[in-house]
Amino acid sequence: MTNFNIDRVSEDIKREISVAIRDIKDPRVAGKLVSITQCMLTNDLSYCKLYVSCMGSEAKTDKAVAALTDASGFFKRRINQRIKLRKLPELIFLPDNSLDYYEHIEKVIEGLPKAEEDKAE
């Protein structure tokens, strides 16, 4: 498969799982603002890493990741019904820590000494 096709299939999987999350009855996910921020599919379609973001604490995100991992069979059936693939990838749900990383970098930048502006005359 070309990169274009893998990217397209990856986006299709991300979209289907994002829609299917609304049907999950698990209290760790139901009613929470849980979203899939990124979907990375391997070239051989064996594995699909899905990064999960949840509004709130890191503990809520970890619980949401656990709930989505428990529901991976449901997601695989849903993908199989909507996207025709020869081989269904193994779904790996991971917490998305990019926002925490962004906040850390922002604090580091704020802590740097200010550069004096050269006065051009």
Side-chain angles (χ1 to χ4, degrees):
M1 265 190 170
T2 63
N3 274 347
F4 173 75
N5 289 339
I6 290 173
D7 291 343
R8 184 183 55 79
V9 171
S10 179
E11 284 301 313
D12 289 345
I13 290 172
K14 178 182 172 187
R15 184 184 64 247
E16 288 302 325
I17 291 178
S18 295
V19 170
I21 285 175
R22 291 184 243 154
D23 296 336
I24 299 292
K25 303 286 191 262
D26 192 314
R28 298 174 287 181
V29 176
K32 309 282 191 297
L33 293 174
V34 176
S35 63
I36 304 297
T37 57
Q38 188 177 11
C39 179
M40 297 174 62
L41 192 61
T42 59
N43 288 340
D44 63 352
L45 304 176
S46 296
Y47 298 97
C48 182
K49 289 183 182 179
L50 297 143
Y51 291 90
V52 179
S53 177
C54 182
M55 294 298 286
S57 66
E58 191 174 321
K60 285 184 181 180
T61 302
D62 292 339
K63 288 178 183 179
V65 167
L68 296 177
T69 301
D70 292 345
S72 62
F74 168 74
F75 293 127
K76 282 180 143 184
R77 281 190 305 277
R78 183 92 173 232
I79 291 168
N80 192 34
Q81 291 171 353
R82 309 224 194 250
I83 305 169
K84 298 300 177 192
L85 298 172
R86 281 188 203 166
K87 176 181 174 183
L88 287 174
E90 185 67 33
L91 302 177
I92 303 168
F93 292 95
L94 301 167
D96 182 10
N97 299 326
S98 61
L99 188 58
D100 296 335
Y101 182 71
Y102 169 76
E103 289 173 357
H104 169 72
I105 294 297
E106 191 173 272
K107 287 178 185 176
V108 169
I109 291 173
E110 287 175 1
L112 293 175
K114 304 269 182 192
E116 293 182 31
E117 295 182 24
D118 294 329
K119 294 182 180 178
E121 292 183 31

